[in-house]
Amino acid sequence: MKKRILILACLLGIAMTQAHAYNNGSSKKAQVWESPATEVNTEIEGYFSVLHEITRVEFAKDETRIMMRVSLRPEQWVKFASDTYLLADGKRYALKSCDGMELDKEVHLTDHNQANLVFHFEPLPKKTKRFDFIEGDGPGAFRILGIESADTRAEQLFPSNWRNTQTGEWEIGFYEDFAIYDCRFWNYKERLQKGDKYTIVLENEGKEICVNVDKCKNGKRQLTINGSEGEYNFITSITLPDYPTKDTRTSYKDTHYQTDTVTFVGWLKDMPEGMKKKGNEYKVNHYDIFIYGMNSINSNYGKMDSLGRFVIKIPLRNSSEVFFDWDRTFIRTLFEPGETYFMLYDYKAGHKLFMGKDCRLQNETLAFPIGWLNRSYGRDMDKEAAMNYLESMKKDKEELMGELEKAKEAHPNLSDRYVNYLTGLYNTEEGRELMQARYGMKDRSCPEEYLSYVTRQHWQQRKQPYTLYREFSTFLQDFTSELVANRYSIKSPKGYVIPKDKEPLLRRCREEGRINISDEELAIAKRIDKEDRKIIDIMLNDGDEAYIKAIEEPKWKEINAQFTPIAEREDIKKVLKEEAQLVGIYNTLNIVDSLGCDKELRDIIITRELLRIIDGERKPLNENTMQFLEKNVSMAEAKALVQAEHEKYLALERRDISKSPSLKSAEDVANLSDGEKILRKIIEPYKGKIILLDIWGTWCGPCKAALAESQKEYERLKKYDIIFLYLANNSSDASWKNVIKMYNVEGENVVHYNLPKAQQSAIENFLGVNAFPTYKLIDRNGNVLDVNADPRDLEGLARLLEKMK
């Protein structure tokens, strides 16, 4: 009896085990393919398009189940057709249902922009070795082809990629014509096969290594590479699977802003024709922390061969966020200087893999793509609206951090460097978005509580090195300029002005022993600073007429008369002129020093400001400013960068173009004040010709960017007999000439004027200029046409001129 009970118990245990293995009432244990191999999976982008990856296949008697992970951008949707089917040996097997998503419906994913789906199909034959997943027959339907067991596919060595089971890294790949190892392409010097074992000799630039490949067992092989033996897994997934061990490092390489080179080797395998049409150069962008604005973008290119292979040498000042060719791959990750990385981007088989001595973080950013934190802000936001925006941004960041926590729970071996990197990135992006939102606030002024949060959360929790995140550069500029504006500026609904106060400057110069000035004279300087602020406030808030009236007041004239003889003294006149370039830097340093600022960030801030001054004024720095650089900046690379720009403009100034026929004197219009009459007088010699008028300024970044393309413009439009007329706004004579020289804005049909401020303003008022650059087209009869004549759309302008011809 006991024996019978024991047998029944064993049978019951077997039945329960089988029941646990079965799914949906299968009467027989399901055959399972974990991480199956695919021959074709073109849906690997995961940013502009949807990413589909089959993670598991279960063959049961009554159905075949396909497990799939789907990823896409937050604002995009995904839809699966109900007529999706499997294709095996020429026969279709229909989709019965889908767990995790409603069919034939546009669905936005909410869980980290991912979903894990289970598709239930009619059962494939028991002996199926290979099949296709076809998402219906409609337009735009995707296909995953050649799906087979990873164990079976691993028996085929060429092509295949292998990861070290101990380290989890992708170490070697075998393709028909070459191998990939140690971030290089290797030719086959010798390739011997005996059964399922291989002896391979690889050669690269005269170096040879031997690779012994043992037979395949359950998707694994023993490989001996250059004398080092290890166990390797066949890679089937789009990105590398979870690493087998935890990496608890949290830091990144820090060169302290001394440039080192990254070697980036890549292969865009089986690139679609549409991608090939985008050119044969692959582009990687990163941002220079020493420079603010569009000029901070550094683009590095590598020419691709006929197979899509390239090598790029990328100079980095420090560990930096990098962006890969957004038209073709759209990868956002981190590079560390001095390292070598290899990237495989296989458009056909569906692999995105990094190889390198320390590329775990890069592989994890592929497997778990970085989220984007941005939110549109309103206009004319009052305090309540601003604080609501702040709370919304905090909520957005909390959601991303929540998704990161979910990823950590689901993938316990996710590296601490990845978690630390994303935590800092999301915090930096929140800070950047919060400070950008000040442009949507009334009077462009952030509430005190708002700025207090930004100071605590973002300034005090900033991460080093400061090149880690692109968005830190924008945050740094917006945050410091907002605090400087709050402390030093005079504001109005139209904007703000930061006066160049004389008293603090003169007091400091006295303390440094550079001038002799009494306390009484400093008191006069303080009084004129106070009156200057009143005058500026009147100009900003009450208009030009009120401003003119104010400077005629006896009180203003009296204090101005008291200060003029002081300002005209040689020593004081000299320092007022010399220190003019540094007033803005002093203001910024006063702010950041009061908040707590390390030496490296202080050097970065000074360098950025000095480069901004050079770019804005388009002339070299004065001797006093160069001495300030030497005394206050210790980073050798930062000093060298400023010195190089300074010397570039010194060389430009030495080139004399004063006799250039393109530069015109304002003498002919010296007695005119009416804007229309001034313009008519200027264009009078060119009657009968079309005139393209460009109103620009040396201080205007977009203006200078357009002028940099002037020679292309002249060449493209040469058949239209045009006069190119340039009127400079608020630009010093030296800066004006330097820009013309720098971009070679000269020619027989090129005319430049740098009119006095009142006359230039009169012309701009006549033409209704409210933005820079402004372009106007003037016909052969002198009529100003109401057309879009922007040469930045060169082909559009050419079509317009063709009609006029």
Side-chain angles (χ1 to χ4, degrees):
M1 184 68 178
K2 289 182 178 178
K3 184 176 180 180
R4 188 176 178 185
I5 293 172
L6 182 60
I7 292 171
L8 287 171
C10 289
L11 290 172
L12 180 61
I14 292 170
M16 291 178 67
T17 302
Q18 288 183 337
H20 182 70
Y22 301 163
N23 200 358
N24 293 341
S26 298
S27 60
K28 189 174 181 181
K29 185 176 180 179
Q31 177 189 353
V32 174
W33 293 352
E34 291 285 1
S35 299
T38 58
E39 182 180 1
V40 177
N41 180 3
T42 58
E43 303 296 323
I44 68 168
E45 170 51 42
Y47 194 82
F48 287 116
S49 60
V50 183
L51 184 151
H52 306 293
E53 182 171 17
I54 295 176
T55 59
R56 180 181 171 98
V57 180
E58 295 179 355
F59 298 87
K61 183 177 180 179
D62 57 345
E63 67 175 5
T64 297
R65 294 181 289 277
I66 305 292
M67 285 69 168
M68 181 183 290
R69 181 168 55 247
V70 179
S71 304
L72 75 164
R73 289 179 65 175
E75 66 269 23
Q76 291 188 331
W77 51 263
V78 62
K79 180 171 70 172
F80 283 92
S82 57
D83 60 349
T84 296
Y85 59 91
L86 304 181
L87 184 66
D89 295 323
K91 183 179 177 181
R92 294 188 179 202
Y93 297 84
L95 176 64
K96 298 193 296 183
S97 64
C98 175
D99 300 337
M101 186 172 293
E102 187 176 343
L103 299 173
D104 297 319
K105 181 180 179 181
E106 296 176 1
V107 177
H108 291 264
L109 306 185
T110 57
D111 188 7
H112 200 55
N113 311 315
Q114 294 185 349
N116 291 303
L117 310 179
V118 181
F119 295 91
H120 301 270
F121 290 91
E122 294 176 339
L124 289 168
K126 182 179 179 180
K127 294 183 179 181
T128 299
K129 299 298 182 184
R130 184 181 172 97
F131 66 91
D132 301 330
F133 183 106
I134 313 293
E135 197 257 334
D137 295 321
F142 72 88
R143 301 180 175 197
I144 301 178
L145 309 179
I147 304 163
E148 62 182 318
S149 166
D151 295 349
T152 303
R153 173 61 184 78
E155 295 172 1
Q156 177 186 338
L157 190 64
F158 305 96
S160 63
N161 290 292
W162 299 83
R163 72 188 303 228
N164 187 306
T165 57
Q166 184 176 0
T167 65
E169 297 288 3
W170 170 42
E171 288 192 6
I172 195 163
F174 300 101
Y175 290 86
E176 290 298 335
D177 298 322
F178 50 80
I180 302 169
Y181 173 70
D182 192 27
C183 299
R184 287 179 282 178
F185 296 99
W186 298 73
N187 298 318
Y188 294 117
K189 185 173 183 179
E190 188 175 311
R191 196 164 81 178
L192 302 177
Q193 180 179 2
K194 188 176 181 180
D196 192 25
K197 294 184 178 182
Y198 299 82
T199 299
I200 301 170
V201 178
L202 303 178
E203 186 274 331
N204 178 284
E205 296 182 353
K207 180 180 178 180
E208 295 182 6
I209 62 171
C210 183
V211 181
N212 293 312
V213 182
D214 207 346
K215 62 183 179 181
C216 184
K217 295 180 181 178
N218 300 321
K220 298 180 181 179
R221 291 180 185 267
Q222 290 292 126
L223 271 65
T224 304
I225 307 173
N226 203 26
S228 179
E229 184 179 4
E231 183 184 68
Y232 290 78
N233 279 100
F234 172 56
I235 300 173
T236 61
S237 51
I238 291 177
T239 59
L240 277 187
D242 291 358
Y243 280 73
T245 57
K246 181 81 171 176
D247 180 0
T248 58
R249 295 176 299 157
T250 57
S251 61
Y252 314 94
K253 185 179 288 188
D254 190 347
T255 66
H256 300 288
Y257 309 94
Q258 297 182 40
T259 297
D260 200 350
T261 300
V262 164
T263 301
F264 181 37
V265 186
W267 184 18
L268 304 189
K269 184 178 181 295
D270 293 320
M271 197 176 359
E273 288 302 317
M275 296 294 183
K276 291 180 181 179
K277 290 178 181 179
K278 297 180 184 295
N280 69 339
E281 286 188 320
Y282 191 80
K283 179 171 70 172
V284 176
N285 282 345
H286 68 280
Y287 292 75
D288 192 338
I289 189 65
F290 289 137
I291 303 170
Y292 175 70
M294 290 302 295
N295 292 334
S296 69
I297 302 174
N298 284 318
S299 298
N300 297 272
Y301 299 86
K303 286 193 177 297
M304 292 185 286
D305 65 13
S306 60
L307 298 178
R309 301 178 299 181
F310 61 85
V311 178
I312 310 178
K313 297 289 187 178
I314 305 171
L316 290 183
R317 299 197 192 281
N318 218 326
S319 295
S320 300
E321 188 175 17
V322 287
F323 302 84
F324 296 176
D325 209 316
W326 283 11
D327 287 338
R328 276 180 279 221
T329 52
F330 205 96
I331 292 174
R332 179 187 188 189
T333 190
L334 172 79
F335 272 176
E336 297 181 87
E339 297 295 325
T340 298
Y341 302 95
F342 184 102
M343 180 192 72
L344 170 65
Y345 200 101
D346 190 335
Y347 287 94
K348 180 181 177 183
H351 295 299
K352 294 191 288 186
L353 305 173
F354 271 108
M355 176 186 288
K357 291 179 180 178
D358 189 7
C359 62
R360 177 169 179 162
L361 174 60
Q362 288 72 34
N363 275 311
E364 287 177 335
T365 58
L366 292 180
F368 309 96
I370 296 168
W372 295 77
L373 183 64
N374 53 62
R375 173 181 283 269
S376 299
Y377 52 83
R379 295 293 174 189
D380 292 324
M381 293 190 292
D382 58 15
K383 179 178 179 180
E384 181 180 0
M387 296 308 293
N388 287 339
Y389 179 80
L390 170 62
E391 292 303 317
S392 298
M393 283 301 308
K394 288 165 67 174
K395 184 178 178 181
D396 289 349
K397 187 180 75 171
E398 287 169 4
E399 289 179 359
L400 282 176
M401 291 303 298
E403 297 299 339
L404 181 57
E405 287 300 316
K406 290 179 184 178
K408 287 166 58 180
E409 291 174 8
H411 306 274
N413 283 348
L414 201 56
S415 73
D416 286 350
R417 290 218 311 162
Y418 173 84
V419 173
N420 187 50
Y421 185 70
L422 257 66
T423 301
L425 174 63
Y426 295 153
N427 200 53
T428 304
E429 286 192 337
E430 182 196 46
R432 187 252 186 201
E433 292 298 305
L434 289 174
M435 292 314 304
Q436 281 283 291
R438 74 193 181 109
Y439 294 105
M441 296 180 189
K442 283 186 177 179
D443 301 334
R444 279 180 53 181
S445 182
C446 299
E448 184 178 342
E449 302 95 314
Y450 190 103
L451 272 179
S452 179
Y453 172 82
V454 173
T455 303
R456 292 191 316 273
Q457 185 66 27
H458 302 291
W459 178 262
Q460 295 176 0
Q461 297 188 36
R462 62 192 185 272
K463 283 188 176 290
Q464 297 188 53
Y466 296 114
T467 50
L468 278 179
Y469 310 117
R470 173 188 65 172
E471 308 300 358
F472 180 75
S473 179
T474 305
F475 165 75
L476 179 63
Q477 180 68 27
D478 288 343
F479 179 66
T480 54
S481 61
E482 175 69 11
L483 295 182
V484 166
N486 282 351
R487 180 179 295 185
Y488 297 105
S489 75
I490 299 167
K491 293 188 176 183
S492 81
K494 300 176 183 178
Y496 63 85
V497 172
I498 300 177
K500 294 185 176 181
D501 290 334
K502 304 168 189 65
E503 191 270 343
L505 186 153
L506 294 174
R507 185 177 295 278
R508 183 176 60 254
C509 289
R510 184 177 75 170
E511 292 170 357
E512 293 172 355
R514 295 167 59 188
I515 59 172
N516 290 314
I517 189 169
S518 67
D519 290 342
E520 292 78 8
E521 290 171 328
L522 285 174
I524 293 172
K526 191 170 186 177
R527 282 183 61 199
I528 200 166
D529 287 343
K530 184 178 179 181
E531 293 303 318
D532 277 344
R533 286 178 168 271
K534 290 180 181 177
I535 294 293
I536 292 171
D537 184 77
I538 290 170
M539 179 183 69
L540 286 174
N541 292 291
D542 300 326
D544 291 344
E545 289 186 10
Y547 165 76
I548 293 171
K549 184 178 179 181
I551 61 176
E552 293 298 324
E553 291 287 337
K555 186 178 181 180
W556 163 253
K557 288 186 175 182
E558 177 190 352
I559 188 61
N560 194 47
Q562 291 177 5
F563 182 71
T564 296
I566 300 171
E568 290 298 319
R569 291 213 310 257
E570 285 303 316
D571 59 339
I572 293 178
K573 185 177 181 179
K574 182 173 183 287
V575 297
L576 287 174
K577 181 179 180 181
E578 290 177 341
E579 294 283 320
Q581 289 183 329
L582 293 173
V583 172
I585 296 179
Y586 292 141
N587 291 342
T588 302
L589 293 180
N590 287 340
I591 294 287
V592 298
D593 287 344
S594 68
L595 295 175
C597 183
D598 56 88
K599 184 65 172 67
E600 286 188 335
L601 184 56
R602 204 174 192 272
D603 279 8
I604 289 169
I605 290 170
I606 293 172
T607 302
R608 285 161 60 103
E609 286 296 305
L610 292 178
L611 290 172
R612 184 188 59 78
I613 290 169
I614 295 175
D615 184 66
E617 296 185 358
R618 291 293 165 131
K619 62 183 182 182
L621 300 171
N622 62 47
E623 182 180 350
N624 180 66
T625 303
M626 292 302 291
Q627 290 174 357
F628 174 86
L629 168 70
E630 185 64 32
K631 181 179 178 181
N632 288 275
V633 175
S634 57
M635 280 186 197
E637 190 138 348
K639 290 162 74 171
L641 184 61
V642 175
Q643 184 71 38
E645 285 297 295
H646 171 72
E647 290 177 357
K648 181 171 75 176
Y649 282 96
L650 280 176
L652 278 174
E653 285 200 338
R654 287 193 287 268
R655 180 181 150 207
D656 184 15
I657 62 167
S658 58
K659 295 182 180 179
S660 169
S662 294
L663 272 62
K664 301 299 182 181
S665 168
E667 290 181 4
D668 291 343
V669 295
N671 298 321
L672 301 177
S673 58
D674 180 83
E676 182 178 5
K677 291 180 179 179
I678 298 170
L679 182 62
R680 296 294 174 205
K681 185 68 174 178
I682 287 173
I683 67 174
E684 189 176 79
Y686 315 111
K687 196 167 185 179
K689 293 181 179 289
I690 295 173
I691 299 171
L692 179 61
L693 173 61
D694 181 342
I695 298 177
W696 66 288
T698 58
W699 46 267
C700 166
C703 300
K704 290 175 286 192
L707 290 176
E709 304 295 321
S710 57
Q711 288 300 319
K712 292 180 183 177
E713 180 185 343
Y714 302 158
E715 178 63 25
R716 177 66 180 86
L717 305 179
K718 63 183 180 181
K719 69 177 182 178
Y720 297 109
D721 193 24
I722 292 181
I723 295 296
F724 297 92
L725 171 61
Y726 298 89
L727 301 182
N729 170 282
N730 196 27
S731 301
S732 72
D733 189 68
S735 301
W736 174 58
K737 290 177 180 176
N738 282 344
V739 173
I740 293 169
K741 287 182 278 187
M742 172 170 282
Y743 299 126
N744 193 24
V745 193
E746 296 181 82
E748 293 180 0
N749 57 339
V750 176
V751 178
H752 287 279
Y753 279 90
N754 190 18
L755 298 169
K757 184 176 180 179
Q759 290 183 312
Q760 179 68 24
S761 295
I763 292 176
E764 291 173 9
N765 288 335
F766 164 64
L767 294 172
V769 174
N770 53 23
F772 296 88
T774 286
Y775 303 99
K776 298 289 185 181
L777 203 60
I778 302 174
D779 70 14
R780 293 179 176 85
N781 296 316
N783 300 309
V784 180
L785 306 180
D786 185 16
V787 294
N788 180 14
D790 194 331
R792 290 171 294 185
D793 177 13
L794 199 50
E795 294 308 311
L797 178 55
R799 288 192 296 271
L800 177 61
L801 292 170
E802 193 66 31
K803 292 178 182 178
M804 293 178 65
K805 192 174 75 171

